[in-house]
Amino acid sequence: MYAMKRVYSPFKSELTFRLSPATSGAWKDGFLWKTRVPFGSKVSCTPGSIRAVISSDDKALEPYSMEASDKEVNEIVLSSSGENLGKGGIDVRAVITIRKKMKEKINEKIEDQWEYFVNGIGRGILIQLVSEEIDPETNSGRSVQASVRGWLPKPSNNEHIVEYAADFTVPFDFGNPGAVLVTNLHGKELYLMEIVVHGFDSGPIFFPANTWIHSSKDNSDSRIIFRNQAYLPSRTPPGIKDLRREDLLSLRGNGKGERKAHDRVYDYALYNDLGNPDKDEELARPVLGGEKWPYPRRCRTGRPPTKKDPKCETRIEKPHPVYVPRDETFEEIKQNTFSTGRLKALLHNLIPAITATLSSSDIPFTCFSEIDKLYNDGFILKSEELREVAQIPFMGNFMKQVLSVSERLLVYDIPAVIKRDRFAWLRDSEFARQTLAGVNPVNIEILKEFPILSKLDHAVYGPPESAITKELIAHELNGMTVEKAIEEKRLFILDYHDMLLPFIEKMNSLPGRKAYASRTVFFYDQAGILRPIAIELSLPSSPSSPCNKHVYTHGHDATTHWTWKLAKAHVCSNDAGVHQLVNHWLRTHACMETYIIATHRQLSAMHPIYKLLHPHMRYTLEINALARQSLINGGGIIEACFSPGKFAMEISSAAYQNMWRFDMEALPADLVRRGMAVEDPSMPCGVRLVIEDYPYASDGLLIWSAIKEYVESYVDHFYSEPNSVTSDIELQAWWNEIKNKGHFDKRSEPWWPKLNTKEDLSGILTTMIWIASGQHAAINFGQYPFGGYVPSRPTLMRKLMPLENENDHEKFIRNPQHTFLSSLPTQLQATKIMAAQDTLSTHSPDEEYLGQVSHLHSHWINDHEMVELFNRFSARLEEIEGIINLRNKDARLKNRNGAGVPPYELLLPTSGPGVTGRGIPNSISI
């Protein structure tokens, strides 16, 4: 509708200035994190100052001064042409900020010089201002257009930030511009940071972009950039109503064809890209999504089907990228950080290939000193092995250089938990503590009844008696009866029985995998200490063993001590698998992807709920695409290093079918469901914890309440009128799409929240933001600190428990340490998973944390009241950080304080880069 007319006119006005490393913002990591661009008919700059005068009518403009420098630089001239300059009306200027690549190749730098020239003569970028007012002649928004012109300076320290200008003369009745249409005539894409329009009485008008603008050669449609004003659909200014609709249509696409790298199309697809049957039948995997294997939907790529299975999509193998909408890809700093982390993982992906050339079998650890060497000496290759490595064709030059300098391949950092107390993992108290304050504190639940039996027990074993009897655990209750312990809420359980039992037979058929369906019972004593008292390990029934269950308790003799340790290791491997496949991947990554796709497809960029959610969607689609490529795919790291092996995603699907409910993803609801809290209207979040010293829950409720308060105030501001929620057509379409497309397999469930009131909307949004921020942080960034020491938290077990009258039992009696170590992941499996955990636990230098706004997004909304509301939210999170720090110093809280006990920091809002074990990013970005 808004076709852009290409206009090339002689220069009508001039903008002269000097570029300087100092601006009104700050340069950081090579980026201009915040910039305000003064403008005028003449702008004169030295390296220490920027001054501007454009028009006395622009009341919001003020000079911006920085530290002065006597060194002069060459002046540059930015000019642009507009159709009506000098013909009467208001002279306005649009300043366009573009970011160049930080690291450019020689040919790219040459291309930049040509780009500067093309822009200088006005043939590179065309922009069109569209008014919020209707033009009665066209019945669409009034518009003016111009070409961007500019001659840029010589390279400076910050040459990747460049600015151009376009001049317009708009009619006096033009009104305020509500949108800018941008056409990129260059042969390649450009990154538009921001457009600021100066000259209107209301002051500078900001059009935050932070987006890739495709080349018109790839797509002839102009890009639509809206101003930073939030509008509900019914309140959209008439001049930009059609643009609002057209922009959403362009983001939805038509559901056909293969997506190209420059596309910005969001659509849904099944998880049909995890297997690779064309490469190897052993790599075939079921399609997730549908009646047999229900699952949330992913972002569609449209790749062609495989030859052997038309239901599966062909794979793109690393290092080639998987399609995600263009603005979802990592920015350059994140790419560099992740590449560094990926390099670590790459080294370990290569270890099996290296070993395969030298040895016919993988080897287990034979003593604990071999494990310690990973942190002290690194993984060492012999000199003859180095010659083999150099001949591997896919080894990069960097790898060869590293190996030529030293034999040491990689030295790991000692995980934080082990660094404080290297023997902590042996203690029952630490085993129990991690169910409340570890990396997976979301599965422990209250034991509500005895005997401990489920419907699955009866289905598999007939009418069995509970393997964990009252008599068995009564002596562990300090004289208390089982009934009394249940009544006082002192018995808890970690129950993976029903989730895993249907898969155990298949899992145990895999080479080097042996697992049980487990239940672990804990007692919370009067001293406030949680300790395990019984572990039940179950296998499917067989003719020779119809009730194939074994129960282990801790004892005082040597044999019982070692079997108890082995039983705990089996529980840990189950816990690691459920944590990774269900709590981490499914409940945060996969589910958040559906919310993000629906948000882009149904909520305009000017919708206030889009603006609220935008920080919480950053990088998630990209990291999920990388996970499908390397982590959860057939033959990927998860299959190679976790007990379920090739059945990993089937378990994830079964958990989605049997357990996942959106209404239970809210933190208070989840705690009540698990019996870890009871409803109490007098408490801030409406719940009271059963175990007060539950660090994940107590800190999490602080974060939850802060998010809830912020969201409720935000929603109340925009939905102040009756029926404003139900009458919001974009919002209703958004929620319906999440239920009916994103979670198609659960679309008919009765528990989906309604969306009729402000309270409904606030609850839904608080849950989504919690999942993207606090929940993901709590279960992700402790992976290496808690799991980086293999005996502490093995991700798989390779042997079943030694039983009397079996061949291995005598070996166990003679050398229990060997039995224990040989049951753990092999050396190569261990180093591989440690590399992955290290990468997943790393914060990028450009991480954006909860309660913080990047300077790039400082003009995210033109609403002073909402800016102040966000500032109060930020201040509250700072208070919470102080509260958590005080809790970590409280000697009464034994799950976060004590000799060798690490403080619980996973829900501290801020962090520096690297593996820190703390920090809540806004979004799922790793």
Side-chain angles (χ1 to χ4, degrees):
M1 179 175 291
Y2 290 88
M4 185 167 289
K5 178 181 177 183
R6 302 186 180 183
V7 180
Y8 305 115
S9 303
F11 292 171
K12 298 294 185 183
S13 62
E14 244 179 33
L15 172 63
T16 308
F17 65 88
R18 308 173 191 273
L19 288 190
S20 165
T23 69
S24 59
W27 290 94
K28 182 182 178 183
D29 298 321
F31 280 100
L32 178 60
W33 284 100
K34 187 173 184 178
T35 179
R36 294 177 181 171
V37 186
F39 58 95
S41 56
K42 178 75 68 173
V43 180
S44 179
C45 275
T46 68
S49 68
I50 297 179
R51 292 188 172 275
V53 178
I54 182 170
S55 168
S56 59
D57 293 334
D58 196 336
K59 300 177 177 60
L61 274 183
E62 295 180 2
Y64 289 69
S65 298
M66 266 64 67
E67 181 180 350
S69 169
D70 294 332
K71 185 178 180 181
E72 294 295 319
V73 296
N74 295 327
E75 288 192 342
I76 63 169
V77 178
L78 294 189
S79 301
S80 65
S81 69
E83 282 185 297
N84 301 309
L85 289 179
K87 296 180 181 179
I90 304 171
D91 290 341
V92 299
R93 166 155 291 172
V95 177
I96 299 96
T97 305
I98 293 172
R99 189 181 72 202
K100 312 298 292 184
K101 288 181 65 175
M102 293 173 61
K103 297 180 179 179
E104 291 187 311
K105 300 175 183 177
I106 296 297
N107 64 310
E108 290 175 325
K109 292 182 178 181
I110 295 173
E111 290 175 0
D112 282 348
Q113 298 305 312
W114 173 250
E115 185 176 308
Y116 298 159
F117 173 76
V118 171
N119 287 336
I121 62 175
R123 295 177 180 267
I125 305 170
L126 302 178
I127 68 172
Q128 182 176 355
L129 293 185
V130 181
S131 172
E132 294 181 341
E133 306 296 329
I134 285 286
D135 184 340
E137 294 184 6
T138 63
N139 202 33
S140 58
R142 292 189 173 98
S143 65
V144 292
Q145 54 198 3
S147 58
V148 172
R149 294 181 180 272
W151 300 100
L152 294 183
K154 295 178 180 179
S156 67
N157 292 334
N158 303 303
E159 61 181 324
H160 52 273
I161 301 294
V162 294
E163 292 160 355
Y164 299 95
D167 289 342
F168 304 84
T169 297
V170 302
F172 292 107
D173 62 350
F174 184 80
N176 284 326
V180 176
L181 276 62
V182 182
T183 302
N184 172 17
L185 302 177
H186 293 287
K188 63 179 183 179
E189 63 184 1
L190 59 86
Y191 190 85
L192 176 64
M193 297 175 66
E194 184 179 57
I195 298 174
V196 185
V197 178
H198 302 273
F200 289 93
D201 287 345
S202 58
I205 299 174
F206 293 92
F207 295 79
N210 296 301
T211 182
W212 290 97
I213 307 294
H214 57 260
S215 167
S216 59
K217 294 181 179 179
D218 293 324
N219 184 341
S220 60
D221 293 339
S222 301
R223 278 293 308 283
I224 304 169
I225 310 296
F226 294 107
R227 67 175 295 190
N228 62 340
Q229 187 71 45
Y231 292 112
L232 293 176
S234 61
R235 297 181 179 179
T236 308
I240 56 174
K241 270 189 175 180
D242 288 342
L243 288 180
R244 182 173 186 146
R245 181 180 61 85
E246 288 181 17
D247 190 47
L248 283 174
L249 289 174
S250 71
L251 290 166
R252 295 172 195 163
N254 59 12
K256 300 177 181 179
E258 183 174 356
R259 298 270 64 89
K260 304 297 189 293
H262 63 267
D263 285 342
R264 294 171 61 250
V265 175
Y266 297 78
D267 202 358
Y268 300 96
L270 302 170
Y271 275 74
N272 62 351
D273 63 342
L274 301 180
N276 194 348
D278 288 350
K279 182 178 181 180
D280 190 333
E281 290 185 3
E282 286 296 314
L283 294 177
R285 297 293 180 269
V287 175
L288 301 187
E291 185 176 353
K292 184 176 181 181
W293 299 110
Y295 216 62
R297 300 307 191 252
R298 64 171 176 90
C299 187
R300 179 183 177 275
T301 62
R303 295 192 301 269
T306 60
K307 296 176 181 178
K308 292 187 177 180
D309 186 350
K311 294 180 181 179
C312 292
E313 188 174 89
T314 52
R315 287 183 52 77
I316 299 291
E317 302 294 352
K318 55 189 179 183
H320 303 291
V322 176
Y323 167 80
V324 293
R326 185 63 183 95
D327 288 336
E328 303 297 328
T329 56
F330 291 156
E331 294 182 21
E332 199 167 354
I333 289 180
K334 178 74 170 182
Q335 286 177 339
N336 293 339
T337 302
F338 196 64
S339 294
T340 302
R342 294 268 293 181
L343 178 60
K344 263 187 186 177
L346 177 65
L347 300 181
H348 291 79
N349 287 337
L350 290 174
I351 291 176
I354 296 169
T355 305
T357 65
L358 308 168
S359 172
S360 60
S361 62
D362 198 354
I363 56 173
F365 294 104
T366 58
C367 59
F368 283 97
S369 60
E370 290 181 344
I371 299 175
D372 293 339
K373 284 182 179 180
L374 294 174
Y375 313 102
N376 299 327
D377 302 326
F379 196 96
I380 298 177
L381 295 176
K382 300 176 182 177
S383 57
E384 57 267 21
E385 292 172 345
L386 296 181
R387 289 194 293 271
E388 295 281 351
V389 170
Q391 295 172 7
I392 296 177
F394 51 83
M395 291 293 293
N397 290 331
F398 178 80
M399 179 69 152
K400 294 176 183 177
Q401 290 169 5
V402 169
L403 294 175
S404 65
V405 172
S406 170
E407 289 185 333
R408 181 175 298 171
L409 185 62
L410 182 64
V411 178
Y412 283 99
D413 293 329
I414 300 174
V417 175
I418 300 301
K419 186 178 294 186
R420 282 179 169 266
D421 183 352
R422 67 173 300 177
F423 301 112
W425 66 279
L426 291 168
R427 291 195 291 271
D428 286 354
S429 59
E430 179 63 17
F431 175 80
R433 189 190 74 84
Q434 290 194 21
T435 67
L436 302 171
V439 71
N440 189 40
V442 297
N443 280 107
I444 187 170
E445 54 189 317
I446 197 113
L447 182 59
K448 297 178 181 178
E449 59 185 7
F450 223 89
I452 307 170
L453 293 171
S454 67
K455 292 181 180 179
L456 189 61
D457 283 291
H458 289 278
V460 174
Y461 303 110
E465 296 182 359
S466 175
I468 301 178
T469 63
K470 291 183 181 180
E471 294 74 20
L472 187 68
I473 65 173
H475 70 281
E476 299 287 346
L477 305 183
N478 299 338
M480 187 180 295
T481 65
V482 171
E483 290 79 9
K484 186 67 172 176
I486 290 177
E487 180 184 347
E488 293 188 3
K489 300 184 185 301
R490 293 190 176 276
L491 287 177
F492 298 85
I493 188 168
L494 197 62
D495 192 347
Y496 298 131
H497 179 275
D498 288 7
M499 187 188 302
L500 296 180
L501 188 62
F503 297 92
I504 291 297
E505 188 172 357
K506 292 193 293 186
M507 289 164 56
N508 288 348
S509 69
L510 299 173
R513 306 295 168 93
K514 297 300 176 188
Y516 296 90
S518 63
R519 291 185 176 112
T520 309
V521 178
F522 300 85
F523 177 60
Y524 185 63
D525 63 24
Q526 288 85 345
I529 302 297
L530 187 72
R531 53 188 176 86
I533 57 176
I535 294 174
E536 175 192 278
L537 300 179
S538 301
L539 295 172
S541 63
S542 65
S544 60
S545 183
C547 188
N548 210 348
K549 295 172 177 285
H550 297 275
V551 177
Y552 300 88
T553 60
H554 64 89
H556 302 290
D557 64 278
T559 301
T560 305
H561 170 81
W562 276 103
T563 55
W564 177 244
K565 188 184 298 183
L566 280 166
K568 287 195 297 181
H570 274 283
V571 173
C572 285
S573 71
N574 286 346
D575 190 70
V578 172
H579 162 260
Q580 198 67 262
L581 298 168
V582 179
N583 300 326
H584 182 205
W585 171 257
L586 169 64
R587 294 175 61 188
T588 64
H589 283 260
C591 287
M592 199 66 204
E593 181 156 352
T594 65
Y595 313 146
I596 292 170
I597 296 171
T599 299
H600 283 285
R601 285 169 53 86
Q602 298 297 340
L603 298 182
S604 167
M606 66 177 83
H607 198 291
I609 302 307
Y610 177 93
K611 291 183 178 294
L612 175 70
L613 290 176
H614 183 261
H616 307 290
M617 303 189 291
R618 185 179 187 231
Y619 291 158
T620 303
L621 296 191
E622 172 83 338
I623 200 66
N624 285 3
L626 289 168
R628 297 199 311 273
Q629 189 177 45
S630 302
L631 290 176
I632 64 171
N633 60 299
I637 292 174
I638 300 301
E639 287 193 0
C641 300
F642 287 81
S643 286
K646 64 186 292 185
F647 307 107
M649 294 304 291
E650 293 180 20
I651 289 176
S652 188
S653 170
Y656 176 70
Q657 180 177 32
N658 299 323
M659 299 171 53
W660 186 86
R661 293 176 48 157
F662 181 87
D663 60 331
M664 292 293 110
E665 292 303 291
L667 177 60
D670 175 62
L671 293 170
V672 171
R673 177 185 63 83
R674 291 189 282 120
M676 301 304 293
V678 294
E679 294 182 356
D680 185 344
S682 67
M683 300 298 288
C685 293
V687 297
R688 175 173 49 83
L689 294 178
V690 171
I691 297 178
E692 181 182 354
D693 187 14
Y694 185 178
Y696 158 76
S698 57
D699 292 0
L701 288 171
L702 289 175
I703 301 297
W704 171 273
S705 64
I707 295 171
K708 182 173 182 286
E709 181 180 351
Y710 170 55
V711 169
E712 287 176 344
S713 298
Y714 187 96
V715 167
D716 192 61
H717 177 75
F718 288 101
Y719 293 91
S720 57
E721 298 178 1
N723 303 320
S724 54
V725 170
T726 54
S727 62
D728 186 335
I729 57 174
E730 288 183 6
L731 188 70
Q732 294 297 326
W734 168 77
W735 185 234
N736 286 332
E737 182 163 296
I738 286 172
K739 294 183 294 182
N740 296 316
K741 288 191 175 181
H743 289 275
F744 179 84
D745 302 324
K746 286 186 171 279
R747 64 194 181 282
S748 301
E749 296 288 354
W751 41 252
W752 282 104
K754 305 296 184 185
L755 183 52
N756 297 325
T757 67
K758 292 186 295 184
E759 292 74 21
D760 295 338
L761 177 58
S762 296
I764 290 168
L765 294 171
T766 301
T767 297
M768 288 181 179
I769 294 173
W770 161 253
I771 291 169
S773 57
Q775 179 73 349
H776 180 259
I779 60 179
N780 180 73
F781 292 102
Q783 290 195 70
Y784 188 77
F786 283 97
Y789 185 69
V790 179
S792 173
R793 189 174 170 80
T795 57
L796 62 83
M797 295 293 283
R798 302 171 66 239
K799 290 184 177 181
L800 293 175
M801 297 288 293
L803 300 177
E804 292 186 19
N805 303 320
E806 291 187 357
N807 294 334
D808 287 341
H809 190 264
E810 185 60 32
K811 295 179 182 178
F812 163 68
I813 295 296
R814 288 200 304 268
N815 192 343
Q817 175 177 293
H818 179 270
T819 298
F820 180 82
L821 290 173
S822 62
S823 298
L824 300 180
T826 64
Q827 295 188 29
L828 299 185
Q829 288 171 330
T831 53
K832 193 172 185 179
I833 193 58
M834 287 162 65
Q837 290 172 333
D838 182 68
T839 301
L840 295 175
S841 302
T842 299
H843 287 295
S844 169
D846 73 335
E847 199 85 89
E848 295 177 5
Y849 294 96
L850 192 64
Q852 298 179 356
V853 173
S854 164
H855 294 288
L856 290 172
H857 301 283
S858 58
H859 300 125
W860 67 284
I861 195 168
N862 183 30
D863 189 320
H864 178 73
E865 189 173 339
M866 290 301 92
V867 172
E868 287 301 311
L869 175 64
F870 184 83
N871 291 339
R872 292 197 297 273
F873 174 54
S874 300
R876 174 57 182 156
L877 289 171
E878 290 182 11
E879 293 175 6
I880 289 172
E881 186 150 330
I883 293 171
I884 293 174
N885 285 327
L886 288 175
R887 287 176 174 178
N888 285 331
K889 296 176 183 178
D890 190 338
R892 296 171 300 173
L893 302 177
K894 297 180 176 61
N895 288 323
R896 62 202 308 160
N897 186 286
V901 175
Y904 187 76
E905 298 181 325
L906 288 170
L907 286 170
L908 284 173
T910 61
S911 174
V915 180
T916 64
R918 57 175 290 168
I920 305 177
N922 273 322
S923 63
I924 299 171
S925 57
I926 188 66

